[in-house]
Amino acid sequence: MSLSRPPRGLQALLAFLTGLLCSGVISGQRLVEMPAGPLFRVKGFPMALSCYVSNFKGSSQQDFAFSVYKDSKQEQEIRIIHTSDPNYAYAIFTSRVNTRDVAIERLSGSSAVLHFASLRMEDAGTYECFTPNTDGTYFGSYTASTEVNVIEDTLVASSSDPASLIVSEGDLLQLKCQVSSHTFQHTHLSVTWYVRGTEQTFPIISLDKDLTVRPGSSFEHRYLSGLISIEKVEDTTYRLRISQVQPSDSGEIYCQADEWILDPDRSWMRIAYKNTTGSNVKVETLNVNPDADSFTSHIELLTGEVQEGGPLEIRCSVKAQNVQTRFFSVSWLKNQLEVAQIGPSGVLTVSADYTGRHKKGELRAIKISDSVFALIIQPIMSGDQGQYQCRVGQEERTDSGLFTRGHTEISSEAVHIIPKANRYCMTDHDGLTR
């Protein structure tokens, strides 16, 4: 087996013959292939370059050697690594090969992959794969090459969520992360939320690079039930919503951002990835309460920044034992006056002041689940300014099928809407802003 390369002039002739081979004029020649370039990869992240050889004679176990040319004329070869020659690398790569920052992996007798564990800016260049001749005579191509450009890492992933959260079983959990990239290349981003438990890490839900939502296998049923979602709420902000958390959701919940680029061969390649700091979420199981009829109500603003003319969504949630088998009426109050109510049988009633807007479709209320209810107003007007609270009443069905109201709870928190100021705040009954 010859380890030498054909002379440069012969290489040019072989390249011409290879072109004829690829066009179907000549068949049966040796053909070496690498991914089409130019390729763009990111500093500090891994890179893999594959090389395949076909139509060869001799040993079924072919050897592979990788080199790089950094000059525009491709005259100065810098040898990197060889499948059978441990001393092949030039000094510039020797230490990286010895520490396996650069490595070669044989996939089969006719294919191999060059691996970089962490790219450097100076790794840019034209990479060549060479397969020593085992054919007896030169017939076909023995090298292939591709251009690699190394670009700066501009991917950013961060989170401002609390480091620790304690929520009760059945509560709503919302987490946000901010993801962006400022590269000059055309790239796509994907975002995945994970939960890391004591033994395993599971994907919760993803927003893929093509904006497809993909739930993790352990969360698919809850996603299909509308209990889990991922939303892009601003240019760089992604929100995870779990409407009714379960004890199994406990763990470190974090966001992973992946950056993808479309290579010349039309395949998507992940070129960078970052994880945010996680929030350690503890979901407390509802204890059996001697007073099984007790319940609490909570209020939450869903629309973020409130702007006049925009939407407003205020959710009320009921935390109680056996909520699926009990009846509640839920009301939204503005400045202690009722705006709308969803009764125990699901019927919506609207106060006289809002009847007109309800008929126009500007105000509606819906039951999202057994314990979550939403009031939606759009567009918001200056007259919608005020303090909003939830009132929940427990209802008992009589033998005649009618309902009688029992105990009533008003949410301990309030949402203070100021549309003209384009902001909102949460206040307690004591008037302290939080």
Side-chain angles (χ1 to χ4, degrees), residues 182-251:
H182 305 287
T183 178
F184 290 108
Q185 303 305 314
H186 179 72
T187 60
H188 287 199
L189 300 176
S190 63
V191 174
T192 304
W193 287 94
Y194 288 90
V195 57
R196 181 183 291 120
T198 55
E199 298 181 356
Q200 290 181 288
T201 299
F202 298 97
I204 301 173
I205 195 167
S206 302
L207 185 62
D208 211 347
K209 55 187 175 295
D210 59 359
L211 301 181
T212 302
V213 176
R214 304 183 190 279
S217 57
S218 301
F219 295 85
E220 185 171 6
H221 177 73
R222 294 162 68 186
Y223 167 72
L224 294 175
S225 300
L227 300 178
I228 294 179
S229 66
I230 182 172
E231 302 169 284
K232 186 176 182 180
V233 293
E234 296 174 10
D235 285 345
T236 62
T237 302
Y238 298 79
R239 179 172 63 194
L240 168 70
R241 290 177 49 80
I242 303 179
S243 292
Q244 297 177 23
V245 292
Q246 301 177 2
S248 59
D249 298 329
S250 296

Side-chain angles (χ1 to χ4, degrees), residues 336-370:
Q336 300 182 353
L337 297 178
E338 184 173 288
V339 175
Q341 175 185 280
I342 294 179
S345 59
V347 176
L348 173 64
T349 57
V350 178
S351 69
D353 291 340
Y354 289 87
T355 301
R357 297 182 69 183
H358 174 58
K359 289 180 178 179
K360 293 179 183 178
E362 297 178 357
L363 181 147
R364 57 194 179 96
I366 57 174
K367 180 178 181 180
I368 295 176
S369 67
D370 290 323

Side-chain angles (χ1 to χ4, degrees), residues 165-409:
L165 286 170
I166 299 177
V167 293
S168 298
E169 181 180 3
D171 278 358
L172 171 68
L173 174 65
Q174 283 195 134
L175 297 172
K176 293 181 180 180
C177 67
Q178 290 73 44
V179 175
S180 62
S181 176
H182 305 287
T183 178
F184 290 108
Q185 303 305 314
H186 179 72
T187 60
H188 287 199
L189 300 176
S190 63
V191 174
T192 304
W193 287 94
Y194 288 90
V195 57
R196 181 183 291 120
T198 55
E199 298 181 356
Q200 290 181 288
T201 299
F202 298 97
I204 301 173
I205 195 167
S206 302
L207 185 62
D208 211 347
K209 55 187 175 295
D210 59 359
L211 301 181
T212 302
V213 176
R214 304 183 190 279
S217 57
S218 301
F219 295 85
E220 185 171 6
H221 177 73
R222 294 162 68 186
Y223 167 72
L224 294 175
S225 300
L227 300 178
I228 294 179
S229 66
I230 182 172
E231 302 169 284
K232 186 176 182 180
V233 293
E234 296 174 10
D235 285 345
T236 62
T237 302
Y238 298 79
R239 179 172 63 194
L240 168 70
R241 290 177 49 80
I242 303 179
S243 292
Q244 297 177 23
V245 292
Q246 301 177 2
S248 59
D249 298 329
S250 296
E252 182 188 7
I253 299 181
Y254 64 93
C255 169
Q256 177 178 294
D258 297 294
E259 187 169 15
W260 302 79
I261 196 167
L262 189 64
D263 279 348
D265 65 1
R266 310 304 296 171
S267 65
W268 284 100
M269 182 64 62
R270 186 177 77 154
I271 57 174
Y273 45 88
K274 297 280 179 67
N275 290 347
T276 64
T277 54
S279 294
N280 290 305
V281 176
K282 180 181 179 181
V283 180
E284 295 182 331
T285 304
L286 286 173
N287 296 321
V288 177
N289 194 318
D291 182 6
D293 291 336
S294 65
F295 63 91
T296 57
S297 64
H298 301 271
I299 190 168
E300 178 190 16
L301 181 67
L302 265 290
T303 41
E305 186 176 85
V306 177
Q307 298 185 20
E308 190 170 345
L312 171 67
E313 181 175 346
I314 300 175
R315 290 196 177 183
C316 292
S317 59
V318 183
K319 186 166 66 174
Q321 296 183 42
N322 304 316
V323 67
Q324 298 88 350
T325 61
R326 297 165 66 179
F327 296 97
F328 296 95
S329 59
V330 177
S331 303
W332 289 264
L333 310 178
K334 187 187 83 170
N335 299 331
Q336 300 182 353
L337 297 178
E338 184 173 288
V339 175
Q341 175 185 280
I342 294 179
S345 59
V347 176
L348 173 64
T349 57
V350 178
S351 69
D353 291 340
Y354 289 87
T355 301
R357 297 182 69 183
H358 174 58
K359 289 180 178 179
K360 293 179 183 178
E362 297 178 357
L363 181 147
R364 57 194 179 96
I366 57 174
K367 180 178 181 180
I368 295 176
S369 67
D370 290 323
S371 60
V372 181
F373 304 78
L375 172 70
I376 302 167
I377 301 175
Q378 187 175 12
I380 299 173
M381 302 178 181
S382 58
D384 293 322
Q385 176 173 324
Q387 179 175 280
Y388 289 78
Q389 293 174 280
C390 288
R391 182 178 63 202
V392 177
Q394 181 166 319
E395 305 279 347
E396 298 292 339
R397 178 178 289 186
T398 64
D399 293 339
S400 63
L402 300 176
F403 289 94
T404 59
R405 180 171 298 182
H407 180 62
T408 298
E409 284 280 347

